[in-house]
Amino acid sequence: MNKKVLTLCAGFLLAGSAFTTVDAETLADAAKVENGYFTVYVNNSKSIKDDANIGGSGILLGDGAAKQASDEEKKDLANIWKVQTVTSNGTTLGYKLINAKSNAALSVKVGDITYDTFEGNDEALWFNVASQLGYFGKADKASAAASTNDANSVWRYNLQQINPEDVNADDLNELYNSIGFNMIVNSVKEEKQATIKNLFATSGRVLALEVSADVKSPNNATDGAAYPDGTYFVTSTPTGKTWAEICKITDATEKNNAQYAFLEACTFIAVNSVENDINSKADREAGAGFQLTTVLGRDLQKYQGTVAAKQPTGRDIAVANACFSVKKDVNDKYAIGLETFWFNKAKAADIQDNDAQISKPGYWLNVTEKVGEDNDDKYLTTEGATAKYIFSMKDLATTSVYSWLKNEKKMSVYNIQFVSDNDDINGKYLFVPAYGNKAYAKGVKFTDINMPETQFIVTDVDADNNTVTFTNRANRAMNEAVKIYAEADGTYTIALENKNGEFAPLNVLNNGDIKAQADVKLHGLRVKITPVESVDYYYGAWNVDNGEEVTLLFARDNTPTSNKLYVKHPGYNGSNLDISETLKVTNEVAGTLQFALKKSNKPVVKTYGYTYYLGETDKEQEKWEANGDTIAYYTYQLEAYYEGEPCGYYLHLNDGKYKLSTDADNFIIKDNEDGSVQLIKSYDATNAVVVDGWKQVEQTISYFENKEIKDALLTQEMAANYVKTYLNLESPEVSLDPKSTYVTFKAEEGDYITMKDDRDAVLVSDQPLTFRVFATDTEREVPNFLVSTGWNDNTKERMFLFNPKDSVNYLVAEGDYDKAYQWSEGINKAIFKSARMAESCDTLYTTIKGNATAVATVADQNKNVQGGLNYFKYQIIEDPENEGYYMIRQNGYFLTSTNGRMGFTKKQGARSLAVRVEVDNVESPTANESINAANNVVVAGVNGAIVVKGAEGKNVIVSTILGKVVANEVVSSDNAQIAAPAGIVVVSVDGESFKVVVK
């Protein structure tokens, strides 16, 4: 607590100061001097005698008649002296000085004799008023007469009187964080305080309200009611705006009416005008012995006019009885009194409602006892016109600091939510971003209470000062030491040691904009403090699998109908990707980049100290734990993908703009409540990835075409139409439904994909071939498919569509480049290869150069497993410019057709060369599947017939889906055609049945 500097009265007048003259005549008035406090100066016209040594506790200030104490000197009680009268036979001779710090008398040693106190006619140190000289020797009339002789004096002195300080409401509240105060009677031991009927100690938290100008009733013209200026003490206040907030209202009438309504709803401490059963009748009629009570503001008698008939009568409690004055002396002791006291001098039991009350000025409170009763009850009551410095400030009853701690080395973490009639903050959570050291109040819809930004951990408790230090888990620089006062409704009032701590309420405007309001002081607000039972160290930052594929996009929102901006492919420099170009955006889906997240091997882990409860011991109840609270997160490199294939380059910041580079930046990915993300390079980063012009709220989507991707400052204020950053765990490309099924592929020109010569994929106009597709890698945003046809029931083999890229490279490496696997340079043949598939779809068993070999995604030579399964996998994606048609893609290769011959190419412009096909689902297994890989039997539906290949000499039965047989014959050709009705028919070849679609 900072002591207030007391006003001094000096023996001289300083222009413009608050000092007043104290001369010899004033000091001669013992009633004014006795028990007063002064600073003492040695007058330079009379130095201390050479053989006199000043002793005792305390000091005298340096030589100089025209000096005053410095601010530092005034704060030191060692410089302050209490003046006591020295008398001889009833005659006032002078005074002696008692030090305010040590309570010892000033002494002087002359020769072998020490003069320090005055007891009757004993040798003493004393001061003469008239001459202002200090003397030693016998204090009697003779000595007094000799006081005119300078030779007998010790020194000449000068006194500066210290007057008690007037204390206002702000000063009182300030003593304990401006939340309020309690006062106890300082002369009574703590254990005996309860025996005193003292409402300043027993009414809970007392708040002082300063009324700086009369607050008049809205009907003052007729009722004359008002709260006069002064200091009031209240034990409860209404909900809604605080007194301090109301006092800031600028409109005078609005302010007055709001203040009056507030005061009417307060509960005041006041002096009861009739309750007096303590002192004698004479005392009662003089205004002494009246006790304290509590009363609602609306029940006070507030008439302030001069009409006699409207003055307080009977049992009225006048508003003046609640309007107090407070003074403080040099020892930090307080006196409390009334400027004006209205009371009824009749005995309480005899008072009638119309009995007139009388008023007297200047009544101060003191402790008195009941008279004539055999008990020790003491009451705080009115006494008289002399201020009694009987009160000491007592710290308020805060919650136990240890009640906010968990034991067993557990962290104590809380959410803090505001409770107020102020709509700007009510119900909102205290929120601190990891960047910027700025606190906010955020609404429930925009706050995730599991995020570290909304969580506050106890990092210290101070039992001596009753403070608990809460530290934000996301931003350790944001911490506050607070006193916590429990309210009756289960909420708490918090008082900050740093009363300047502020936060900005974030409001959602009618247009959806999030706007910060004027800063609000956190000190003195009412809150809910809710424990967080479980803390997720990774919460708020992404923790996804390595290789997770994402789409980086920019949009005003992420709804399906919103316009979106994608990362545009930077183009080529010759045959190489042009990484010198700054990345730009486009609203076209085709030809854009996706990214794969390359996750750090280990998380970044930051641990911080916290406090926990040890238990009830005499010496230590809490312990600092050096490593406890943890914030953990993974970082990710964003590897660019184009057409499903990694480019080998990563997102990289260069001069405030983003490019592709072999130098990969590491990003933390943090979620925002609206679904957007922060791509940041450190946990407390102030900048994140945005599109240039992202705050241009009036611009249409075309404005952003080819805008650069850059770094920009983060902000909590967000317009609804800002273009935000998103990382979608889905591709903008639409994939074929990822399930295993039977399909046909029909090109735009009407031709079907089929198989020729048991190997090559071709487009044929009238022979649809049914394929069975197996969905794989379904955890990816764009899944893969294995595309197969045929079935050998003996070997369980199928014919799988295959890109023979490795075979092309192999032949070239062997110097045997005969284009067996290419139609032309840069276009690999699309072929079918016989293989048996593992049930898990992750391995194919086939033959390579005549050797049985397992093919998986990753080679394992120890198990005779070769890599290359990816050459059997395809993404089947919808053409964004041709609804209902799909393209077949594999790691940058697209399935194309040249004169009906199908192949794979990844040359520049490959997407434009891709075959667009309709994918028609057919009932299982109604695809024209049915290739017998071992015997080369093919069954296909054509217009009005079925074609059976490779079944010469076999019995073929054709029947409708209802079982009607339409053909039953032994075919004599390896390419037999049998008439059949349109629709689904069942074809049996030597007992093996297939469903076929006939046009």
Side-chain angles (χ1 to χ4, degrees):
M1 180 180 70
N2 294 324
K3 293 184 174 66
K4 305 293 287 188
V5 177
L6 303 185
T7 305
L8 302 180
C9 293
F12 49 88
L13 183 63
L14 183 64
S17 75
F19 295 109
T20 56
T21 301
V22 180
D23 54 23
E25 286 74 26
T26 303
L27 292 178
D29 184 349
K32 293 183 179 179
V33 176
E34 188 175 8
N35 296 319
Y37 287 92
F38 298 82
T39 54
V40 181
Y41 286 91
V42 177
N43 193 310
N44 59 12
S45 67
K46 176 67 177 179
S47 297
I48 298 174
K49 293 185 84 172
D50 293 338
D51 58 349
N53 298 312
I54 296 176
S57 299
I59 62 171
L60 299 180
L61 299 177
D63 289 350
K67 287 186 65 176
Q68 71 178 88
S70 68
D71 288 342
E72 289 303 314
E73 289 169 336
K74 295 170 188 175
K75 294 177 184 178
D76 189 351
L77 289 178
N79 295 326
I80 300 174
W81 303 85
K82 185 176 182 180
V83 178
Q84 291 186 348
T85 306
V86 177
T87 62
S88 175
N89 298 323
T91 301
T92 298
L93 302 178
Y95 306 90
K96 63 178 179 178
L97 303 178
I98 308 298
N99 187 255
K101 183 175 183 180
S102 65
N103 207 34
L106 183 68
S107 66
V108 61
K109 185 176 181 181
V110 181
D112 294 330
I113 303 175
T114 297
Y115 302 93
D116 56 2
T117 61
F118 177 76
E119 298 292 346
N121 290 323
D122 293 338
E123 303 287 348
L125 175 68
W126 56 282
F127 306 92
N128 183 273
V129 172
S131 64
Q132 291 193 322
L133 293 173
Y135 291 89
F136 59 92
K138 290 186 180 295
D140 54 22
K141 291 184 178 181
S143 297
S147 64
T148 56
N149 185 351
D150 281 357
N152 293 330
S153 65
V154 181
W155 68 80
R156 188 181 300 276
Y157 63 88
N158 176 267
L159 301 182
Q160 295 180 357
Q161 187 172 8
I162 300 176
N163 288 330
E165 175 193 5
D166 290 323
V167 183
N168 63 24
D170 290 340
D171 295 330
L172 290 168
N173 294 329
E174 182 75 14
L175 292 171
Y176 290 105
N177 302 84
S178 74
I179 296 300
F181 64 93
N182 289 131
M183 281 192 176
I184 59 173
V185 176
N186 57 64
S187 62
V188 178
K189 293 181 179 180
E190 185 172 352
E191 61 270 19
K192 294 290 186 180
Q193 289 291 333
T195 66
I196 301 174
K197 304 303 185 289
N198 173 15
L199 292 182
F200 291 106
T202 61
S203 299
R205 175 159 44 107
V206 178
L207 183 68
L209 300 179
E210 193 70 25
V211 175
S212 57
D214 290 0
V215 176
K216 298 180 179 180
S217 162
N219 302 315
N220 180 264
T222 56
D223 63 19
Y227 288 87
D229 66 286
T231 300
Y232 296 83
F233 299 130
V234 298
T235 59
S236 70
T237 59
T239 58
K241 289 185 177 180
T242 65
W243 180 253
E245 291 170 334
I246 292 173
C247 290
K248 293 178 181 178
I249 297 174
T250 55
D251 181 83
T253 302
E254 180 186 356
K255 174 181 176 181
N256 177 87
N257 292 346
Q259 287 179 326
Y260 192 87
F262 182 93
L263 294 171
E264 287 286 85
C266 288
T267 300
F268 291 84
I269 293 177
V271 178
N272 198 312
S273 61
V274 299
E275 192 68 29
N276 188 329
D277 58 349
I278 299 171
N279 291 310
S280 66
K281 177 182 178 183
D283 287 337
R284 185 176 68 249
E285 292 181 348
F290 287 86
Q291 301 170 35
L292 296 178
T293 189
T294 56
V295 57
L296 278 171
R298 65 176 63 95
D299 293 333
L300 289 169
Q301 210 278 14
K302 294 178 285 290
Y303 178 70
Q304 297 299 299
T306 58
V307 178
K310 293 185 178 182
Q311 302 301 330
T313 60
R315 298 177 182 274
D316 289 342
I317 298 178
V319 69
N321 291 14
C323 188
F324 292 90
S325 294
V326 183
K327 293 182 178 293
K328 182 175 71 170
D329 69 9
V330 69
N331 291 311
D332 285 344
K333 300 298 187 290
Y334 295 82
I336 302 176
L338 297 173
E339 294 285 346
T340 302
F341 177 36
W342 284 86
F343 63 96
N344 197 313
K345 64 181 182 179
K347 198 171 183 178
D350 300 331
I351 293 175
Q352 302 298 313
D353 290 344
N354 59 352
D355 286 350
Q357 293 187 10
I358 61 174
S359 66
K360 290 189 177 181
Y363 269 77
W364 295 87
L365 302 181
N366 201 358
V367 175
T368 57
E369 297 182 6
K370 277 193 174 183
V371 173
E373 296 189 17
D374 187 16
N375 61 51
D376 295 328
D377 287 350
K378 294 181 175 64
Y379 290 80
L380 201 59
T381 70
T382 54
E383 183 185 70
T386 301
K388 301 295 184 180
Y389 294 89
I390 63 170
F391 294 101
S392 293
M393 298 297 295
K394 181 182 183 298
D395 202 353
L396 294 177
T398 63
T399 59
S400 167
V401 294
Y402 299 112
S403 67
W404 298 98
L405 295 179
K406 292 182 179 179
N407 55 15
E408 299 178 356
K409 298 187 178 181
K410 294 180 180 178
M411 299 185 300
S412 304
V413 182
Y414 298 90
N415 299 126
I416 299 175
Q417 187 179 20
F418 296 104
V419 179
S420 174
D421 278 358
N422 181 353
D423 290 338
D424 282 345
I425 65 173
N426 185 48
K428 294 179 179 178
Y429 284 92
L430 188 60
F431 175 95
V432 181
Y435 62 89
N437 296 344
K438 174 79 173 179
Y440 298 89
K442 293 188 74 173
V444 173
K445 290 184 178 180
F446 297 90
T447 306
D448 185 341
I449 60 175
N450 295 305
M451 294 183 70
E453 287 84 349
T454 64
Q455 295 179 344
F456 297 83
I457 187 168
V458 178
T459 52
D460 194 16
V461 296
D462 184 344
D464 292 333
N465 292 313
N466 294 324
T467 59
V468 179
T469 298
F470 290 100
T471 299
N472 184 258
R473 292 189 62 239
N475 191 332
R476 306 295 290 198
M478 298 297 285
N479 57 81
E480 297 288 355
V482 302
K483 293 180 179 179
I484 305 171
Y485 305 94
E487 304 294 349
D489 60 359
T491 62
Y492 301 91
T493 297
I494 54 176
L496 278 64
E497 281 196 341
N498 169 31
K499 288 181 285 297
N500 292 322
E502 295 179 327
F503 65 94
L506 292 172
N507 284 353
V508 181
L509 308 184
N510 290 335
N511 63 359
D513 291 353
I514 298 175
K515 189 73 174 175
Q517 306 304 302
D519 285 350
V520 175
K521 298 285 187 184
L522 184 59
H523 175 73
L525 294 183
R526 189 171 292 190
V527 296
K528 290 181 181 177
I529 305 178
T530 306
V532 176
E533 298 301 333
S534 179
V535 173
D536 183 348
Y537 294 150
Y538 292 90
Y539 203 90
W542 278 29
N543 181 10
V544 297
D545 292 338
N546 182 47
E548 187 77 59
E549 295 175 13
V550 297
T551 299
L552 174 61
L553 60 91
F554 307 90
R556 287 180 168 136
D557 61 67
N558 202 16
T559 60
T561 57
S562 69
N563 291 309
K564 298 177 176 64
L565 301 163
Y566 302 98
V567 182
K568 188 175 183 180
H569 189 280
Y572 292 93
N573 183 3
S575 60
N576 298 318
L577 199 66
D578 189 358
I579 62 173
S580 66
E581 285 290 318
T582 298
L583 291 175
K584 299 179 176 66
V585 298
T586 177
N587 66 341
E588 299 291 336
V589 173
T592 58
L593 297 179
Q594 277 76 53
F595 294 88
L597 301 180
K598 302 302 181 182
K599 188 177 185 178
S600 57
N601 292 328
K602 295 181 179 180
V604 177
V605 178
K606 296 184 177 182
T607 55
Y608 304 95
Y610 66 92
T611 298
Y612 64 87
Y613 189 56
L614 279 181
E616 293 291 345
T617 66
D618 292 333
K619 296 182 179 180
E620 187 178 25
Q621 295 191 43
E622 50 94 10
K623 180 180 178 182
W624 182 261
E625 181 73 10
N627 294 312
D629 181 28
T630 298
I631 293 291
Y633 52 86
Y634 286 92
T635 60
Y636 298 87
Q637 298 171 350
L638 272 68
E639 183 180 15
Y641 269 61
Y642 183 61
E643 303 295 10
E645 183 181 31
C647 299
Y649 297 104
Y650 298 83
L651 196 63
H652 173 67
L653 182 65
N654 188 315
D655 292 333
K657 299 177 181 179
Y658 282 94
K659 298 181 178 181
L660 294 182
S661 172
T662 54
D663 294 329
D665 289 350
N666 293 299
F667 293 92
I668 304 165
I669 307 171
K670 296 183 71 175
D671 285 312
N672 296 321
E673 277 302 302
D674 60 2
S676 63
V677 298
Q678 302 168 22
L679 268 173
I680 53 179
K681 298 180 70 175
S682 65
Y683 198 79
D684 59 352
T686 58
N687 284 31
V689 178
V690 299
V691 64
D692 189 25
W694 68 292
K695 291 186 177 181
Q696 299 297 320
V697 297
E698 302 297 331
Q699 298 295 339
T700 62
I701 195 69
S702 61
Y703 167 83
F704 295 96
E705 186 72 23
N706 287 320
K707 288 290 186 183
E708 295 176 331
I709 300 174
K710 55 180 283 190
D711 218 26
L713 287 172
L714 289 162
T715 177
Q716 290 296 313
E717 292 190 273
M718 296 289 290
N721 281 341
Y722 281 175
V723 178
K724 306 166 191 71
T725 303
Y726 295 90
L727 273 185
N728 279 9
L729 290 174
E730 59 184 36
S731 170
E733 299 170 323
V734 177
S735 170
L736 185 68
D737 192 14
K739 64 182 181 181
S740 299
T741 186
Y742 295 85
V743 299
T744 59
F745 297 111
K746 181 181 179 181
E748 288 179 286
E749 295 79 8
D751 296 337
Y752 289 90
I753 297 178
T754 187
M755 182 174 64
K756 178 183 178 182
D757 298 331
D758 301 332
R759 195 193 79 159
D760 294 342
V762 295
L763 280 178
V764 177
S765 62
D766 61 351
Q767 295 184 16
L769 183 63
T770 296
F771 294 91
R772 186 166 189 185
V773 293
F774 296 90
T776 68
D777 306 313
T778 54
E779 75 282 358
R780 294 183 59 177
E781 299 313 316
V782 180
N784 283 312
F785 295 88
L786 296 168
V787 179
S788 71
T789 189
W791 171 251
N792 186 322
D793 197 43
N794 295 322
T795 64
K796 312 301 182 187
E797 291 179 319
R798 301 175 184 276
M799 300 294 284
F800 287 90
L801 185 63
F802 174 58
N803 178 4
K805 175 180 181 295
D806 275 358
S807 299
V808 172
N809 293 341
Y810 171 77
L811 289 172
V812 171
E814 292 292 311
D816 190 21
Y817 182 53
D818 61 2
K819 298 187 178 180
Y821 294 103
Q822 283 194 324
W823 295 117
S824 60
E825 188 171 356
I827 301 181
N828 302 333
K829 291 181 178 180
I831 67 173
F832 289 89
K833 188 171 181 62
S834 178
R836 176 171 57 87
M837 184 179 68
E839 215 173 295
S840 59
C841 299
D842 60 358
T843 306
L844 294 179
Y845 300 93
T846 187
T847 57
I848 299 177
K849 290 189 175 182
N851 298 317
T853 305
V855 179
T857 303
V858 180
D860 186 343
Q861 298 301 326
N862 294 326
K863 297 180 180 179
N864 193 29
V865 176
Q866 292 195 13
L869 185 63
N870 287 339
Y871 295 115
F872 290 88
K873 292 181 179 181
Y874 304 92
Q875 294 175 330
I876 305 175
I877 57 172
E878 190 174 40
D879 182 1
E881 299 175 356
N882 199 351
E883 186 176 357
Y885 284 88
Y886 291 81
M887 298 175 288
I888 299 174
R889 182 179 70 189
Q890 180 190 86
N891 292 330
Y893 286 89
F894 282 87
L895 183 64
T896 64
S897 173
T898 305
N899 298 323
R901 299 181 302 181
M902 309 213 72
F904 294 100
T905 184
K906 63 181 302 183
K907 298 189 298 185
Q908 291 186 30
R911 174 182 280 263
S912 64
L913 299 174
V915 173
R916 273 67 172 173
V917 295
E918 286 183 304
V919 182
D920 292 327
N921 284 283
V922 292
E923 293 186 13
S924 174
T926 56
N928 296 333
E929 188 171 309
S930 310
I931 289 181
N932 185 308
N935 299 307
N936 296 328
V937 175
V938 175
V939 179
V942 296
N943 289 332
I946 62 159
V947 175
V948 183
K949 296 181 180 181
E952 184 178 1
K954 296 181 182 294
N955 185 57
V956 177
I957 302 174
V958 180
S959 58
T960 66
I961 196 68
L962 298 177
K964 180 182 179 181
V965 176
V966 296
N968 185 352
E969 62 184 77
V970 176
V971 297
S972 58
S973 168
D974 66 352
N975 188 11
Q977 182 167 307
I978 302 173
I984 299 174
V985 297
V986 179
V987 181
S988 298
V989 181
D990 276 355
E992 185 176 0
S993 298
F994 308 94
K995 290 181 180 178
V996 179
V997 177
V998 178
K999 293 188 176 181

